[in-house]
């Protein structure tokens, strides 16, 4: 069964600095998708970024980028120029095709002004 | 952007009562899901639904749970006899096809007293 592990329950960063959230996963499949979701206090699930496993190029979305290491099964999220609005729970997730999303345990990110 | 709509946003019920959580997925979507998140924990998969039948369910989705798509637009989750441990945020999600973005609803917070 696929598993997703986030080893950092909490992280904090100074406003305007850069922070990296870690995620590892386990799968025997070669074709899948990886995601980072943001969950603010409202508890809405907001897609931050997604990566297709067949793409070697790391995905980027404005201040958010990933470091996807397929062989190492690692998928970290880098947030540049951190802003107060980035404070939230961040979940890493795995999906194969239209199957279920498998989530990690989450990392609570605090932004210090 | 299209939205998945969930009602109610909050539901309070007594232990042992039946509850129905309602979702209206995006109209041309084909795959539907329910997830739940106990406060402070990760998001857990409950069930997926495709072509008018359950395609996958988790161990959590026992005989007390059922899903229906009664009229081609609504997608409901029923809990027959609620327990205290069913208290959680329940998220509905949908996707049109497997390589596309998964859309989450804003969730129903269920409190079982």
């Amino acid at each position: 069964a696929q598993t997703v592990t986030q080893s950092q329950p909490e992280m904090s960063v100074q406003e305007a600095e850069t922070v990296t959230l870690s995620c590892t996963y386990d799968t025997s499949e070669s074709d899948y998708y990886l995601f980072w979701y943001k969950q603010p206090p409202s508890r809405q699930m907001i897609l931050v970024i997604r990566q297709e496993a067949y793409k070697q190029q790391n995905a980027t979305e404005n201040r958010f980028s990933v470091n996807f290491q397929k062989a190492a099964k690692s998928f970290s999220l880098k947030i540049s120029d951190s802003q107060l609005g980035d404070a939230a729970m961040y979940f890493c997730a795995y999906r194969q095709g239209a199957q279920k999303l498998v989530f990690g345990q989450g990392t609570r990110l605090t932004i210090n002004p | 952007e299209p939205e998945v709509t969930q009602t109610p946003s909050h539901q309070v019920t007594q232990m042992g009562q039946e509850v129905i959580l309602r979702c209206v997925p995006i109209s041309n979507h084909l795959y539907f899901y329910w997830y739940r998140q106990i406060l402070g924990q990760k998001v857990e998969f409950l069930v997926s639904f495709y072509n008018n039948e359950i395609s996958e369910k988790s161990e959590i989705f026992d005989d007390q749970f059922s899903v229906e798509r009664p009229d081609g637009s609504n997608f409901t989750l029923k809990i027959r006899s609620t327990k205290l441990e069913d208290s959680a945020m329940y998220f509905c999600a949908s996707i049109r096809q497997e390589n596309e973005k998964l859309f989450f609803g804003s969730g129903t917070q269920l409190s079982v007293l």
Side-chain angles (χ1 to χ4, degrees), chain B:
Chain B
E1 192 172 63
E3 289 186 346
V4 174
T5 304
Q6 287 187 246
T7 55
S9 56
H10 292 87
Q11 174 102 39
V12 180
T13 190
Q14 295 291 324
M15 189 170 58
Q17 294 296 303
E18 175 184 287
V19 293
I20 297 176
L21 308 183
R22 303 183 190 279
C23 170
V24 180
I26 296 167
S27 61
N28 61 350
H29 283 194
L30 300 176
Y31 300 84
F32 313 106
Y33 309 84
W34 283 101
Y35 293 85
R36 80 170 187 190
Q37 185 185 30
I38 295 170
L39 187 62
Q41 298 187 20
K42 70 176 181 179
V43 181
E44 300 174 292
F45 169 75
L46 290 177
V47 66
S48 58
F49 193 86
Y50 171 72
N51 200 25
N52 289 318
E53 61 183 22
I54 291 174
S55 47
E56 187 179 359
K57 59 184 180 180
S58 71
E59 292 178 353
I60 302 167
F61 195 88
D62 61 20
D63 292 344
Q64 293 301 310
F65 291 86
S66 62
V67 288
E68 269 194 332
R69 189 160 159 77
D71 56 10
S73 61
N74 292 286
F75 179 51
T76 61
L77 174 69
K78 184 195 294 187
I79 309 175
R80 265 181 266 284
S81 178
T82 49
K83 305 177 192 138
L84 295 176
E85 54 264 37
D86 293 327
S87 295
M89 178 74 89
Y90 288 80
F91 292 102
C92 174
S94 70
I95 191 171
R96 188 173 64 152
Q97 53 190 29
E98 63 180 56
N99 61 342
E100 294 189 354
K101 177 182 172 181
L102 181 71
F103 287 79
F104 277 92
S106 53
T108 293
Q109 176 63 53
L110 176 65
S111 298
V112 182
L113 305 179

Side-chain angles (χ1 to χ4, degrees), chain A:
Chain A
Q2 293 85 7
T3 59
V4 177
T5 302
Q6 293 177 248
S7 58
Q8 305 155 316
E10 296 184 355
M11 292 282 285
S12 63
V13 65
Q14 290 295 126
E15 193 177 1
E17 296 294 307
T18 296
V19 63
T20 299
L21 308 184
S22 302
C23 173
T24 59
Y25 60 95
D26 188 25
T27 183
S28 58
E29 304 295 335
S30 59
D31 192 16
Y32 50 87
Y33 303 88
L34 295 165
F35 307 87
W36 280 98
Y37 281 89
K38 172 183 178 181
Q39 190 179 46
S42 67
R43 299 186 73 183
Q44 188 174 359
M45 297 297 291
I46 301 167
L47 178 64
V48 175
I49 199 165
R50 94 172 196 170
Q51 174 80 44
E52 292 90 343
Y54 66 85
K55 289 186 178 179
Q56 292 187 340
Q57 187 172 8
N58 289 323
T60 62
E61 287 287 342
N62 301 314
R63 298 182 294 107
F64 299 86
S65 61
V66 298
N67 183 4
F68 173 47
Q69 302 288 328
K70 190 173 185 179
K73 296 179 183 173
S74 169
F75 182 62
S76 61
L77 174 70
K78 185 171 84 171
I79 306 174
S80 303
D81 185 26
S82 299
Q83 300 175 0
L84 294 177
D86 295 334
M89 281 290 285
Y90 286 82
F91 290 97
C92 178
Y94 165 103
R95 189 181 94 210
Q96 190 194 2
Q99 294 178 18
K100 65 188 180 191
L101 267 176
V102 178
F103 287 90
Q105 302 92 324
T107 297
R108 181 173 302 281
L109 178 64
T110 302
I111 312 295
N112 300 314

